[in-house]
Amino acid sequence: MLKIIKKRLMLSALTLSSTLFASSSYAQDDAIIDESRNRSIPVNITLPANHLKCSAQVKCPVVFVNAGYGISHDEYTFASKLFNAQGYLSIAVAHELKSDPALNRAQPYLTTRMENWHRGVVTLKFLVNELSVKYPEYDFTKLTLFGHSNGGDISALYAAIYPSEVSQLITLDHRRMLLPRNKNTRVLTLRGSDYPADANVLLTDQELTVYPVTQTLIEKSRHNDMYDGGPKWLVDKMSKEVAAFLENE
């Protein structure tokens, strides 16, 4: 009988160990259905390294990672891993579906692309409401938004519409939507060197003395390379800049 009890205890310990290991490397690649729009939203959700310390009483931070147009939401793992290491729940979102109209190429973009960006904002707001219930150990009231190119435009628009919900905004060379001028939202924008931003997107030298915004040009970087598939030196540089920004929070 004693041997049977010991065996059961050993099996229980192994099961618990396997569960904890699985949780620590948890990744959910799935689609969440927004029934009100009949829209299936592909997401990839990864837990922070310290997720066992997160609770409803002591909530951990949340970041939404928003892909550039034409790039998969799964191709910003350098960012998700960095955020996970810093204690964030990372939610990478695919904003573009095959059924969506193509991104408008006509100017002025603040008008012609607003439909696309607003659709992205609605998607993010739906996910905030949906996932805050599923993940009560995480703080969905003070978001960090991360976005490349068009994903950065979507992120900037969300910060403009819901300023009280966004504590930090990080963009990789978004070029169309104006950065927020908000003293309560910290901003980091990493700029590529091959294309300029549209008028008034970036802050003037005078505005930079007023608002908590950092605008960093990465020399010899290309707009289309600012994702996992870019050159290693660029991915490393972006990771270093984002990590420094988060550490100075």
Side-chain angles (χ1 to χ4, degrees), residues 88 143-145 159 163 166-171 179-180 182-189 211-214 241-249:
Y88 285 73
L143 300 173
T144 293
L145 299 180
V166 179
S167 63
Q168 299 180 126
L169 171 66
I170 301 171
T171 76
L179 283 173
N182 182 344
K183 293 182 179 181
N184 296 319
T185 302
R186 297 179 68 236
V187 178
L188 170 66
T189 182
Y211 301 103
V213 175
T214 300
E241 294 289 345
V242 173
F245 177 76
L246 296 177
E247 289 168 2
N248 291 328
E249 183 178 353

PDB file of all heavy atoms in Angstrom, residues 88 143-145 159 163 166-171 179-180 182-189 211-214 241-249:
ATOM      1  N   TYR A  88       4.978  41.375 -19.522  1.00  0.00           N
ATOM      2  CA  TYR A  88       3.749  41.730 -20.228  1.00  0.00           C
ATOM      3  C   TYR A  88       3.048  40.506 -20.813  1.00  0.00           C
ATOM      4  O   TYR A  88       3.704  39.596 -21.332  1.00  0.00           O
ATOM      5  CB  TYR A  88       4.055  42.671 -21.397  1.00  0.00           C
ATOM      6  CG  TYR A  88       4.376  44.090 -21.019  1.00  0.00           C
ATOM      7  CD1 TYR A  88       5.599  44.409 -20.420  1.00  0.00           C
ATOM      8  CD2 TYR A  88       3.481  45.126 -21.281  1.00  0.00           C
ATOM      9  CE1 TYR A  88       5.909  45.721 -20.084  1.00  0.00           C
ATOM     10  CE2 TYR A  88       3.787  46.440 -20.956  1.00  0.00           C
ATOM     11  CZ  TYR A  88       4.997  46.730 -20.354  1.00  0.00           C
ATOM     12  OH  TYR A  88       5.308  48.030 -20.032  1.00  0.00           O
ATOM     13  N   LEU A 143      -3.057  50.211 -21.235  1.00  0.00           N
ATOM     14  CA  LEU A 143      -2.448  49.418 -22.295  1.00  0.00           C
ATOM     15  C   LEU A 143      -1.140  50.005 -22.800  1.00  0.00           C
ATOM     16  O   LEU A 143      -0.931  51.216 -22.783  1.00  0.00           O
ATOM     17  CB  LEU A 143      -3.418  49.320 -23.481  1.00  0.00           C
ATOM     18  CG  LEU A 143      -4.781  48.690 -23.227  1.00  0.00           C
ATOM     19  CD1 LEU A 143      -5.653  48.850 -24.471  1.00  0.00           C
ATOM     20  CD2 LEU A 143      -4.642  47.215 -22.845  1.00  0.00           C
ATOM     21  N   THR A 144      -0.293  49.097 -23.294  1.00  0.00           N
ATOM     22  CA  THR A 144       0.811  49.479 -24.157  1.00  0.00           C
ATOM     23  C   THR A 144       0.434  49.018 -25.558  1.00  0.00           C
ATOM     24  O   THR A 144       0.041  47.867 -25.760  1.00  0.00           O
ATOM     25  CB  THR A 144       2.125  48.818 -23.717  1.00  0.00           C
ATOM     26  OG1 THR A 144       2.513  49.352 -22.444  1.00  0.00           O
ATOM     27  CG2 THR A 144       3.230  49.092 -24.736  1.00  0.00           C
ATOM     28  N   LEU A 145       0.525  49.918 -26.527  1.00  0.00           N
ATOM     29  CA  LEU A 145       0.230  49.591 -27.922  1.00  0.00           C
ATOM     30  C   LEU A 145       1.526  49.661 -28.711  1.00  0.00           C
ATOM     31  O   LEU A 145       2.270  50.647 -28.630  1.00  0.00           O
ATOM     32  CB  LEU A 145      -0.800  50.559 -28.507  1.00  0.00           C
ATOM     33  CG  LEU A 145      -2.166  50.577 -27.834  1.00  0.00           C
ATOM     34  CD1 LEU A 145      -3.074  51.586 -28.544  1.00  0.00           C
ATOM     35  CD2 LEU A 145      -2.802  49.195 -27.827  1.00  0.00           C
ATOM     36  N   ALA A 159      -4.974  55.436 -29.446  1.00  0.00           N
ATOM     37  CA  ALA A 159      -4.518  56.305 -28.357  1.00  0.00           C
ATOM     38  C   ALA A 159      -5.197  57.667 -28.394  1.00  0.00           C
ATOM     39  O   ALA A 159      -5.414  58.296 -27.344  1.00  0.00           O
ATOM     40  CB  ALA A 159      -3.004  56.463 -28.423  1.00  0.00           C
ATOM     41  N   PRO A 163      -7.619  57.965 -24.929  1.00  0.00           N
ATOM     42  CA  PRO A 163      -6.359  58.384 -24.285  1.00  0.00           C
ATOM     43  C   PRO A 163      -6.205  57.897 -22.849  1.00  0.00           C
ATOM     44  O   PRO A 163      -5.073  57.645 -22.412  1.00  0.00           O
ATOM     45  CB  PRO A 163      -6.434  59.920 -24.351  1.00  0.00           C
ATOM     46  CG  PRO A 163      -7.891  60.227 -24.470  1.00  0.00           C
ATOM     47  CD  PRO A 163      -8.467  59.112 -25.281  1.00  0.00           C
ATOM     48  N   VAL A 166      -4.546  54.205 -22.634  1.00  0.00           N
ATOM     49  CA  VAL A 166      -3.231  53.901 -23.207  1.00  0.00           C
ATOM     50  C   VAL A 166      -2.157  54.626 -22.402  1.00  0.00           C
ATOM     51  O   VAL A 166      -2.101  55.854 -22.379  1.00  0.00           O
ATOM     52  CB  VAL A 166      -3.166  54.322 -24.684  1.00  0.00           C
ATOM     53  CG1 VAL A 166      -1.779  54.007 -25.259  1.00  0.00           C
ATOM     54  CG2 VAL A 166      -4.246  53.620 -25.496  1.00  0.00           C
ATOM     55  N   SER A 167      -1.306  53.847 -21.764  1.00  0.00           N
ATOM     56  CA  SER A 167      -0.223  54.450 -20.987  1.00  0.00           C
ATOM     57  C   SER A 167       1.047  54.599 -21.813  1.00  0.00           C
ATOM     58  O   SER A 167       1.844  55.507 -21.571  1.00  0.00           O
ATOM     59  CB  SER A 167       0.067  53.618 -19.730  1.00  0.00           C
ATOM     60  OG  SER A 167       0.509  52.319 -20.082  1.00  0.00           O
ATOM     61  N   GLN A 168       1.216  53.703 -22.812  1.00  0.00           N
ATOM     62  CA  GLN A 168       2.425  53.744 -23.639  1.00  0.00           C
ATOM     63  C   GLN A 168       2.099  53.392 -25.086  1.00  0.00           C
ATOM     64  O   GLN A 168       1.289  52.503 -25.344  1.00  0.00           O
ATOM     65  CB  GLN A 168       3.479  52.759 -23.114  1.00  0.00           C
ATOM     66  CG  GLN A 168       3.943  53.054 -21.705  1.00  0.00           C
ATOM     67  CD  GLN A 168       4.993  52.065 -21.227  1.00  0.00           C
ATOM     68  OE1 GLN A 168       6.067  52.479 -20.792  1.00  0.00           O
ATOM     69  NE2 GLN A 168       4.711  50.784 -21.301  1.00  0.00           N
ATOM     70  N   LEU A 169       2.772  54.077 -25.989  1.00  0.00           N
ATOM     71  CA  LEU A 169       2.631  53.820 -27.424  1.00  0.00           C
ATOM     72  C   LEU A 169       4.017  53.684 -28.021  1.00  0.00           C
ATOM     73  O   LEU A 169       4.879  54.544 -27.803  1.00  0.00           O
ATOM     74  CB  LEU A 169       1.874  54.971 -28.095  1.00  0.00           C
ATOM     75  CG  LEU A 169       1.814  54.969 -29.624  1.00  0.00           C
ATOM     76  CD1 LEU A 169       1.005  53.776 -30.126  1.00  0.00           C
ATOM     77  CD2 LEU A 169       1.218  56.274 -30.149  1.00  0.00           C
ATOM     78  N   ILE A 170       4.236  52.583 -28.746  1.00  0.00           N
ATOM     79  CA  ILE A 170       5.518  52.348 -29.413  1.00  0.00           C
ATOM     80  C   ILE A 170       5.232  52.066 -30.882  1.00  0.00           C
ATOM     81  O   ILE A 170       4.465  51.151 -31.198  1.00  0.00           O
ATOM     82  CB  ILE A 170       6.261  51.155 -28.792  1.00  0.00           C
ATOM     83  CG1 ILE A 170       6.513  51.395 -27.295  1.00  0.00           C
ATOM     84  CG2 ILE A 170       7.580  50.902 -29.518  1.00  0.00           C
ATOM     85  CD1 ILE A 170       7.039  50.181 -26.562  1.00  0.00           C
ATOM     86  N   THR A 171       5.821  52.842 -31.775  1.00  0.00           N
ATOM     87  CA  THR A 171       5.599  52.603 -33.199  1.00  0.00           C
ATOM     88  C   THR A 171       6.928  52.410 -33.922  1.00  0.00           C
ATOM     89  O   THR A 171       7.940  53.016 -33.565  1.00  0.00           O
ATOM     90  CB  THR A 171       4.810  53.744 -33.882  1.00  0.00           C
ATOM     91  OG1 THR A 171       5.667  54.871 -34.101  1.00  0.00           O
ATOM     92  CG2 THR A 171       3.608  54.144 -33.053  1.00  0.00           C
ATOM     93  N   LEU A 179       1.004  61.373 -34.054  1.00  0.00           N
ATOM     94  CA  LEU A 179       1.293  60.890 -32.716  1.00  0.00           C
ATOM     95  C   LEU A 179       0.489  61.696 -31.701  1.00  0.00           C
ATOM     96  O   LEU A 179       0.224  62.887 -31.903  1.00  0.00           O
ATOM     97  CB  LEU A 179       2.784  61.041 -32.398  1.00  0.00           C
ATOM     98  CG  LEU A 179       3.729  60.017 -33.022  1.00  0.00           C
ATOM     99  CD1 LEU A 179       5.176  60.414 -32.754  1.00  0.00           C
ATOM    100  CD2 LEU A 179       3.455  58.616 -32.482  1.00  0.00           C
ATOM    101  N   PRO A 180       0.085  61.071 -30.591  1.00  0.00           N
ATOM    102  CA  PRO A 180      -0.678  61.808 -29.584  1.00  0.00           C
ATOM    103  C   PRO A 180       0.173  62.876 -28.902  1.00  0.00           C
ATOM    104  O   PRO A 180       1.366  62.681 -28.668  1.00  0.00           O
ATOM    105  CB  PRO A 180      -1.093  60.715 -28.592  1.00  0.00           C
ATOM    106  CG  PRO A 180      -0.102  59.625 -28.777  1.00  0.00           C
ATOM    107  CD  PRO A 180       0.266  59.665 -30.233  1.00  0.00           C
ATOM    108  N   ASN A 182      -0.110  64.086 -25.644  1.00  0.00           N
ATOM    109  CA  ASN A 182      -0.800  63.770 -24.390  1.00  0.00           C
ATOM    110  C   ASN A 182       0.246  63.536 -23.312  1.00  0.00           C
ATOM    111  O   ASN A 182       1.075  62.631 -23.433  1.00  0.00           O
ATOM    112  CB  ASN A 182      -1.670  62.520 -24.581  1.00  0.00           C
ATOM    113  CG  ASN A 182      -2.457  62.146 -23.338  1.00  0.00           C
ATOM    114  OD1 ASN A 182      -2.174  62.610 -22.236  1.00  0.00           O
ATOM    115  ND2 ASN A 182      -3.441  61.292 -23.511  1.00  0.00           N
ATOM    116  N   LYS A 183       0.218  64.334 -22.270  1.00  0.00           N
ATOM    117  CA  LYS A 183       1.235  64.234 -21.221  1.00  0.00           C
ATOM    118  C   LYS A 183       1.133  62.942 -20.418  1.00  0.00           C
ATOM    119  O   LYS A 183       2.069  62.590 -19.695  1.00  0.00           O
ATOM    120  CB  LYS A 183       1.146  65.447 -20.291  1.00  0.00           C
ATOM    121  CG  LYS A 183       1.525  66.756 -20.966  1.00  0.00           C
ATOM    122  CD  LYS A 183       1.479  67.920 -20.000  1.00  0.00           C
ATOM    123  CE  LYS A 183       1.892  69.220 -20.677  1.00  0.00           C
ATOM    124  NZ  LYS A 183       1.869  70.386 -19.744  1.00  0.00           N
ATOM    125  N   ASN A 184       0.023  62.229 -20.538  1.00  0.00           N
ATOM    126  CA  ASN A 184      -0.167  60.992 -19.779  1.00  0.00           C
ATOM    127  C   ASN A 184       0.174  59.732 -20.580  1.00  0.00           C
ATOM    128  O   ASN A 184       0.063  58.623 -20.055  1.00  0.00           O
ATOM    129  CB  ASN A 184      -1.610  60.903 -19.284  1.00  0.00           C
ATOM    130  CG  ASN A 184      -1.950  62.002 -18.305  1.00  0.00           C
ATOM    131  OD1 ASN A 184      -1.157  62.343 -17.439  1.00  0.00           O
ATOM    132  ND2 ASN A 184      -3.137  62.584 -18.456  1.00  0.00           N
ATOM    133  N   THR A 185       0.562  59.892 -21.834  1.00  0.00           N
ATOM    134  CA  THR A 185       0.927  58.749 -22.676  1.00  0.00           C
ATOM    135  C   THR A 185       2.378  58.864 -23.105  1.00  0.00           C
ATOM    136  O   THR A 185       2.748  59.784 -23.836  1.00  0.00           O
ATOM    137  CB  THR A 185       0.027  58.672 -23.925  1.00  0.00           C
ATOM    138  OG1 THR A 185      -1.348  58.571 -23.530  1.00  0.00           O
ATOM    139  CG2 THR A 185       0.384  57.454 -24.765  1.00  0.00           C
ATOM    140  N   ARG A 186       3.191  57.922 -22.646  1.00  0.00           N
ATOM    141  CA  ARG A 186       4.594  57.876 -23.058  1.00  0.00           C
ATOM    142  C   ARG A 186       4.668  57.299 -24.469  1.00  0.00           C
ATOM    143  O   ARG A 186       3.980  56.330 -24.788  1.00  0.00           O
ATOM    144  CB  ARG A 186       5.423  57.008 -22.110  1.00  0.00           C
ATOM    145  CG  ARG A 186       5.502  57.503 -20.704  1.00  0.00           C
ATOM    146  CD  ARG A 186       6.325  56.541 -19.844  1.00  0.00           C
ATOM    147  NE  ARG A 186       7.728  56.530 -20.223  1.00  0.00           N
ATOM    148  CZ  ARG A 186       8.414  55.440 -20.567  1.00  0.00           C
ATOM    149  NH1 ARG A 186       7.802  54.256 -20.624  1.00  0.00           N
ATOM    150  NH2 ARG A 186       9.700  55.504 -20.873  1.00  0.00           N
ATOM    151  N   VAL A 187       5.518  57.891 -25.292  1.00  0.00           N
ATOM    152  CA  VAL A 187       5.606  57.467 -26.692  1.00  0.00           C
ATOM    153  C   VAL A 187       7.057  57.248 -27.085  1.00  0.00           C
ATOM    154  O   VAL A 187       7.935  58.062 -26.769  1.00  0.00           O
ATOM    155  CB  VAL A 187       4.975  58.520 -27.633  1.00  0.00           C
ATOM    156  CG1 VAL A 187       5.124  58.092 -29.090  1.00  0.00           C
ATOM    157  CG2 VAL A 187       3.507  58.739 -27.292  1.00  0.00           C
ATOM    158  N   LEU A 188       7.287  56.141 -27.783  1.00  0.00           N
ATOM    159  CA  LEU A 188       8.552  55.904 -28.466  1.00  0.00           C
ATOM    160  C   LEU A 188       8.232  55.599 -29.917  1.00  0.00           C
ATOM    161  O   LEU A 188       7.417  54.710 -30.206  1.00  0.00           O
ATOM    162  CB  LEU A 188       9.294  54.713 -27.857  1.00  0.00           C
ATOM    163  CG  LEU A 188      10.525  54.222 -28.651  1.00  0.00           C
ATOM    164  CD1 LEU A 188      11.623  55.272 -28.661  1.00  0.00           C
ATOM    165  CD2 LEU A 188      11.045  52.899 -28.092  1.00  0.00           C
ATOM    166  N   THR A 189       8.834  56.329 -30.833  1.00  0.00           N
ATOM    167  CA  THR A 189       8.689  55.996 -32.245  1.00  0.00           C
ATOM    168  C   THR A 189      10.079  55.839 -32.847  1.00  0.00           C
ATOM    169  O   THR A 189      10.913  56.744 -32.766  1.00  0.00           O
ATOM    170  CB  THR A 189       7.845  57.040 -33.015  1.00  0.00           C
ATOM    171  OG1 THR A 189       7.708  56.616 -34.376  1.00  0.00           O
ATOM    172  CG2 THR A 189       8.421  58.430 -32.946  1.00  0.00           C
ATOM    173  N   TYR A 211       5.890  67.139 -24.211  1.00  0.00           N
ATOM    174  CA  TYR A 211       5.250  65.821 -24.130  1.00  0.00           C
ATOM    175  C   TYR A 211       6.288  64.709 -23.982  1.00  0.00           C
ATOM    176  O   TYR A 211       7.418  64.827 -24.473  1.00  0.00           O
ATOM    177  CB  TYR A 211       4.393  65.587 -25.372  1.00  0.00           C
ATOM    178  CG  TYR A 211       3.308  66.616 -25.554  1.00  0.00           C
ATOM    179  CD1 TYR A 211       3.449  67.633 -26.504  1.00  0.00           C
ATOM    180  CD2 TYR A 211       2.162  66.598 -24.758  1.00  0.00           C
ATOM    181  CE1 TYR A 211       2.458  68.605 -26.663  1.00  0.00           C
ATOM    182  CE2 TYR A 211       1.177  67.564 -24.910  1.00  0.00           C
ATOM    183  CZ  TYR A 211       1.327  68.567 -25.864  1.00  0.00           C
ATOM    184  OH  TYR A 211       0.357  69.518 -26.010  1.00  0.00           O
ATOM    185  N   PRO A 212       5.912  63.603 -23.314  1.00  0.00           N
ATOM    186  CA  PRO A 212       6.854  62.496 -23.074  1.00  0.00           C
ATOM    187  C   PRO A 212       7.017  61.603 -24.301  1.00  0.00           C
ATOM    188  O   PRO A 212       6.637  60.434 -24.312  1.00  0.00           O
ATOM    189  CB  PRO A 212       6.204  61.747 -21.903  1.00  0.00           C
ATOM    190  CG  PRO A 212       4.735  61.963 -22.097  1.00  0.00           C
ATOM    191  CD  PRO A 212       4.605  63.364 -22.646  1.00  0.00           C
ATOM    192  N   VAL A 213       7.583  62.180 -25.349  1.00  0.00           N
ATOM    193  CA  VAL A 213       7.721  61.495 -26.635  1.00  0.00           C
ATOM    194  C   VAL A 213       9.199  61.407 -27.005  1.00  0.00           C
ATOM    195  O   VAL A 213       9.930  62.400 -26.912  1.00  0.00           O
ATOM    196  CB  VAL A 213       6.950  62.232 -27.750  1.00  0.00           C
ATOM    197  CG1 VAL A 213       7.197  61.580 -29.100  1.00  0.00           C
ATOM    198  CG2 VAL A 213       5.458  62.270 -27.426  1.00  0.00           C
ATOM    199  N   THR A 214       9.624  60.214 -27.425  1.00  0.00           N
ATOM    200  CA  THR A 214      10.986  60.005 -27.912  1.00  0.00           C
ATOM    201  C   THR A 214      10.921  59.588 -29.377  1.00  0.00           C
ATOM    202  O   THR A 214      10.242  58.616 -29.721  1.00  0.00           O
ATOM    203  CB  THR A 214      11.704  58.907 -27.105  1.00  0.00           C
ATOM    204  OG1 THR A 214      11.751  59.296 -25.726  1.00  0.00           O
ATOM    205  CG2 THR A 214      13.115  58.693 -27.621  1.00  0.00           C
ATOM    206  N   GLU A 241      16.301  49.402 -28.135  1.00  0.00           N
ATOM    207  CA  GLU A 241      15.632  50.690 -27.925  1.00  0.00           C
ATOM    208  C   GLU A 241      14.313  50.510 -27.164  1.00  0.00           C
ATOM    209  O   GLU A 241      14.000  51.295 -26.260  1.00  0.00           O
ATOM    210  CB  GLU A 241      15.369  51.370 -29.271  1.00  0.00           C
ATOM    211  CG  GLU A 241      16.615  51.800 -30.028  1.00  0.00           C
ATOM    212  CD  GLU A 241      17.325  52.977 -29.378  1.00  0.00           C
ATOM    213  OE1 GLU A 241      16.734  53.650 -28.508  1.00  0.00           O
ATOM    214  OE2 GLU A 241      18.487  53.227 -29.752  1.00  0.00           O
ATOM    215  N   VAL A 242      13.546  49.481 -27.525  1.00  0.00           N
ATOM    216  CA  VAL A 242      12.275  49.242 -26.839  1.00  0.00           C
ATOM    217  C   VAL A 242      12.520  48.828 -25.393  1.00  0.00           C
ATOM    218  O   VAL A 242      11.827  49.285 -24.475  1.00  0.00           O
ATOM    219  CB  VAL A 242      11.444  48.170 -27.585  1.00  0.00           C
ATOM    220  CG1 VAL A 242      10.205  47.800 -26.782  1.00  0.00           C
ATOM    221  CG2 VAL A 242      11.044  48.677 -28.972  1.00  0.00           C
ATOM    222  N   ALA A 243      13.512  47.964 -25.165  1.00  0.00           N
ATOM    223  CA  ALA A 243      13.826  47.523 -23.798  1.00  0.00           C
ATOM    224  C   ALA A 243      14.230  48.707 -22.929  1.00  0.00           C
ATOM    225  O   ALA A 243      13.788  48.820 -21.775  1.00  0.00           O
ATOM    226  CB  ALA A 243      14.935  46.478 -23.830  1.00  0.00           C
ATOM    227  N   ALA A 244      15.037  49.600 -23.462  1.00  0.00           N
ATOM    228  CA  ALA A 244      15.463  50.780 -22.705  1.00  0.00           C
ATOM    229  C   ALA A 244      14.281  51.678 -22.372  1.00  0.00           C
ATOM    230  O   ALA A 244      14.167  52.219 -21.266  1.00  0.00           O
ATOM    231  CB  ALA A 244      16.519  51.559 -23.495  1.00  0.00           C
ATOM    232  N   PHE A 245      13.367  51.821 -23.324  1.00  0.00           N
ATOM    233  CA  PHE A 245      12.167  52.622 -23.103  1.00  0.00           C
ATOM    234  C   PHE A 245      11.316  52.036 -21.982  1.00  0.00           C
ATOM    235  O   PHE A 245      10.844  52.759 -21.102  1.00  0.00           O
ATOM    236  CB  PHE A 245      11.362  52.673 -24.406  1.00  0.00           C
ATOM    237  CG  PHE A 245      10.056  53.415 -24.309  1.00  0.00           C
ATOM    238  CD1 PHE A 245      10.009  54.795 -24.278  1.00  0.00           C
ATOM    239  CD2 PHE A 245       8.849  52.713 -24.275  1.00  0.00           C
ATOM    240  CE1 PHE A 245       8.798  55.471 -24.206  1.00  0.00           C
ATOM    241  CE2 PHE A 245       7.646  53.384 -24.203  1.00  0.00           C
ATOM    242  CZ  PHE A 245       7.627  54.763 -24.162  1.00  0.00           C
ATOM    243  N   LEU A 246      11.131  50.706 -21.991  1.00  0.00           N
ATOM    244  CA  LEU A 246      10.316  50.065 -20.956  1.00  0.00           C
ATOM    245  C   LEU A 246      10.989  50.132 -19.589  1.00  0.00           C
ATOM    246  O   LEU A 246      10.310  50.300 -18.564  1.00  0.00           O
ATOM    247  CB  LEU A 246      10.058  48.604 -21.334  1.00  0.00           C
ATOM    248  CG  LEU A 246       9.228  48.367 -22.605  1.00  0.00           C
ATOM    249  CD1 LEU A 246       9.127  46.876 -22.887  1.00  0.00           C
ATOM    250  CD2 LEU A 246       7.851  48.990 -22.488  1.00  0.00           C
ATOM    251  N   GLU A 247      12.306  50.018 -19.559  1.00  0.00           N
ATOM    252  CA  GLU A 247      13.022  50.049 -18.284  1.00  0.00           C
ATOM    253  C   GLU A 247      12.992  51.427 -17.647  1.00  0.00           C
ATOM    254  O   GLU A 247      13.124  51.563 -16.425  1.00  0.00           O
ATOM    255  CB  GLU A 247      14.472  49.596 -18.502  1.00  0.00           C
ATOM    256  CG  GLU A 247      14.597  48.107 -18.788  1.00  0.00           C
ATOM    257  CD  GLU A 247      15.977  47.709 -19.279  1.00  0.00           C
ATOM    258  OE1 GLU A 247      16.855  48.595 -19.350  1.00  0.00           O
ATOM    259  OE2 GLU A 247      16.165  46.517 -19.597  1.00  0.00           O
ATOM    260  N   ASN A 248      12.814  52.471 -18.458  1.00  0.00           N
ATOM    261  CA  ASN A 248      12.765  53.848 -17.937  1.00  0.00           C
ATOM    262  C   ASN A 248      11.346  54.296 -17.609  1.00  0.00           C
ATOM    263  O   ASN A 248      11.097  55.478 -17.415  1.00  0.00           O
ATOM    264  CB  ASN A 248      13.374  54.805 -18.958  1.00  0.00           C
ATOM    265  CG  ASN A 248      14.860  54.612 -19.089  1.00  0.00           C
ATOM    266  OD1 ASN A 248      15.538  54.252 -18.126  1.00  0.00           O
ATOM    267  ND2 ASN A 248      15.405  54.850 -20.281  1.00  0.00           N
ATOM    268  N   GLU A 249      10.419  53.328 -17.580  1.00  0.00           N
ATOM    269  CA  GLU A 249       9.013  53.661 -17.322  1.00  0.00           C
ATOM    270  C   GLU A 249       8.830  54.347 -15.968  1.00  0.00           C
ATOM    271  O   GLU A 249       9.412  53.942 -14.983  1.00  0.00           O
ATOM    272  CB  GLU A 249       8.184  52.375 -17.358  1.00  0.00           C
ATOM    273  CG  GLU A 249       6.697  52.578 -17.172  1.00  0.00           C
ATOM    274  CD  GLU A 249       5.948  51.271 -17.259  1.00  0.00           C
ATOM    275  OE1 GLU A 249       6.565  50.236 -17.586  1.00  0.00           O
ATOM    276  OE2 GLU A 249       4.730  51.279 -16.997  1.00  0.00           O
TER     277      GLU A 249
END
